[in-house]
Amino acid sequence: MSKQLRLDVAQLTDVGRKRPHNEDNMAYVIPRDSQVMTKKGALFIVADGMGGHAAGEVASEIAVDTVSNVYYQDENDDIPLSLMNAIKRANALIHQRAAENMMRSGMGTTCVAAVLRGGVAYIANVGDSRAYMVRHGQAKQISQDHSWVEEQVRAGLLTKDQARSHAQRNVITRALGTQAEVEVDVFTEILEDGDTFVLCSDGLSGPVGEEDLRAIVNQYLPQESVYHLVERANENGGPDNITAIVVRVQEAGDDIPETLQHPVHAGGSSHVADESTAVLVVCLLPR
């Protein structure tokens, strides 16, 4: 009998200690229908809005709502393509909403999303919200920040420590909604039992270093991990909204496609079905 993917999930968001409003948003979808779970997997998404109150939170809400629904309506079996198409649809909707309302001109949002299906994790990102994986006690960042400082780090012009305190550390080079088209990066990881994924906004990854994140995730189950991660970010100043989803793989599935690309860049349109058979679990933040 084939192994089925089993997950333990928790999510939490907090306004932090410096911001008057929470412009982050998060969602996860775990299909009730086992056939949908087998075909499309479980989806997790964090979005960090920008553009000010009533703009940034609108952009992040559109992102999580659109990606969560469009991904499951897409009948394509190509998981990376479906995920990218859902994110590109969110980008188009945010861009359109911004064009229709002068008060929301320039609004946008980061987006990091993960689909766990069978024995594989597919992680997509735009902006500087991150995905980490903790395996065998060691943490690594899977996503690559689309930010000015991280591009300098990758070019060898800044160190990681310099980037953390650099004056330009909040400048992102790619976001949803700011342009009519967007490029989405997708990465793949073969799952192992016990793997833990952390999706978070920069309000967490900024104040909380990778070593602290690793220690917390290794010590606690997801429900406790999210609280300790948010608590640590606030202890370290809480300069921004803080959002985290922690997903522990209790048992990895054994369905792994023969060919996996890393990273994947693709485009194109998706076929959208009339109905979604997924159960949607969305946390919409208070205004």
Side-chain angles (χ1 to χ4, degrees), residues 161-183:
D161 284 344
Q162 288 171 331
R164 289 177 68 84
S165 58
H166 198 281
Q168 303 298 317
R169 65 187 179 277
N170 294 323
V171 176
I172 61 174
T173 55
R174 204 185 299 180
L176 296 188
T178 56
Q179 303 289 331
E181 301 289 337
V182 70
E183 185 180 3

Side-chain angles (χ1 to χ4, degrees), residues 78 80-81 84 122 184-188 260-266:
D78 186 328
L81 186 60
M84 279 188 284
Y122 304 87
V184 183
D185 291 347
V186 179
F187 307 89
T188 56
L260 288 174
Q261 300 177 8
H262 181 87
V264 182
H265 295 281

Side-chain angles (χ1 to χ4, degrees), residues 87-125:
I87 293 171
K88 288 182 176 184
R89 177 63 179 152
N91 178 76
L93 286 174
I94 296 165
H95 190 258
Q96 178 184 340
R97 288 281 291 276
E100 291 169 351
N101 187 337
M102 285 290 291
M103 296 293 289
R104 292 175 181 163
S105 178
M107 77 173 178
T109 183
T110 68
C111 175
V112 61
V115 171
L116 272 59
R117 175 191 171 276
V120 184
Y122 304 87
I123 291 89
N125 79 292

